[in-house]
Amino acid sequence: MATQDFVPAGNADFCLLLAHVAQNLPQFYGNLGITGATTQVAAFMLDNLAFSALCSRQETLVQAGQSATTERNRARYGDKVNPGVATNFSYPIPPATFPNAVMPGIEKRFRDFVDWLRSLTNFEDAMGVALHLVGPQSTPVDPATLQPTLKLRISGGKVEILWGWDTARGIAKALYIEVDRTTGPAFLAADTNPNYTDSHPLPATPQKWRYRAIWQRDGEMIGQWSPWIEITVSA
């Protein structure tokens, strides 16, 4: 059975891979005869920090754009659900600090770094597996079994729905999301770019909001609904 490339195509998944290697590589320093100060290792760690910050910035700006579009449309056309809620002019808050800048070509340097690791005398296949540097075996995916995985968090006074393509990459084209704000399920969004921010204002008194999602392709739902997950919200 063929083995897929260990470097994922999606930016979010690539960011997660870099972070996983950065977090877990130190346990093998002694075996490999390297340290965090080793030139190749130090350069990789800088690339990881920079790419993580760039991915976070891009996600924040995309979410801000989605919220801004929703708010602009509310202001122009009205809001039947919350007609008494005033317009929201909030902007994303930049982080207090930024990592050091790096040159373009992080993926190429990461592949070269992995080749260098594999060339070390004491590098073992088990280390590659632990560091996720071995591609998964390519097996056919049955679209009927696909099911999204969601996580929720409060960010900037809004509910943020965290999701990734996982095994639906290349099969699904969007994530169809529903929300229940104590009044029953309702369509929230058909999102094509992880993650999604619910721009609905938080209530003055605590409530439990819940969300679920299903994959979508060409306007048709595929696979199975995710379980409902809930979060307690209040302004």
Side-chain angles (χ1 to χ4, degrees):
M1 186 175 292
T3 299
Q4 300 175 7
D5 186 4
F6 72 94
V7 176
N11 286 308
D13 292 335
F14 181 54
C15 189
L16 289 174
L17 175 60
L18 295 183
H20 178 82
V21 174
Q23 181 179 357
N24 291 278
L25 181 60
Q27 65 182 295
F28 301 117
Y29 282 173
N31 300 77
L32 297 174
I34 59 178
T35 70
T38 301
T39 300
Q40 293 88 337
V41 176
F44 161 71
M45 294 297 182
L46 290 175
D47 279 349
N48 167 58
L49 292 175
F51 196 71
S52 176
L54 290 169
C55 287
S56 178
R57 182 186 70 167
Q58 191 268 343
E59 289 182 5
T60 298
L61 294 178
V62 167
Q63 294 160 14
Q66 293 172 339
S67 297
T69 298
T70 299
E71 206 60 32
R72 180 201 62 194
N73 293 342
R74 284 186 66 243
R76 178 172 181 177
Y77 303 112
D79 186 343
K80 294 181 180 179
V81 178
N82 295 283
V85 177
T87 51
N88 182 350
F89 293 100
S90 62
Y91 280 75
I93 301 174
T97 60
F98 293 89
N100 294 329
V102 299
M103 297 302 292
I106 290 176
E107 181 178 332
K108 168 78 166 52
R109 290 197 296 274
F110 177 62
R111 291 182 182 276
D112 291 343
F113 175 67
V114 172
D115 287 342
W116 172 77
L117 281 178
R118 290 171 172 163
S119 71
L120 298 177
T121 302
N122 294 327
F123 185 86
E124 300 175 353
D125 290 343
M127 296 179 186
V129 172
L131 295 173
H132 296 178
L133 301 181
V134 178
Q137 291 183 325
S138 55
T139 56
V141 176
D142 180 3
T145 65
L146 294 175
Q147 186 180 48
T149 299
L150 306 182
K151 293 183 179 179
L152 303 176
R153 71 181 180 190
I154 301 295
S155 177
K158 304 291 183 183
V159 176
E160 186 177 3
I161 304 163
L162 309 177
W163 66 274
W165 289 106
D166 301 322
T167 55
R169 183 178 301 280
I171 301 176
K173 295 184 178 180
L175 184 71
Y176 183 97
I177 307 171
E178 286 191 346
V179 61
D180 181 358
R181 300 189 181 91
T182 74
T183 57
F187 169 73
L188 178 62
D191 195 23
T192 58
N193 187 33
N195 298 303
Y196 185 81
T197 298
D198 183 355
S199 61
H200 192 88
L202 300 183
T205 57
Q207 293 181 356
K208 285 187 177 181
W209 290 359
R210 58 182 192 149
Y211 298 81
R212 70 173 182 172
I214 192 170
W215 294 113
Q216 190 178 50
R217 179 180 63 201
D218 300 330
E220 299 291 332
M221 297 179 182
I222 58 174
Q224 305 174 32
W225 283 99
S226 68
W228 284 103
I229 56 173
E230 64 181 32
I231 187 171
T232 300
V233 297
S234 65

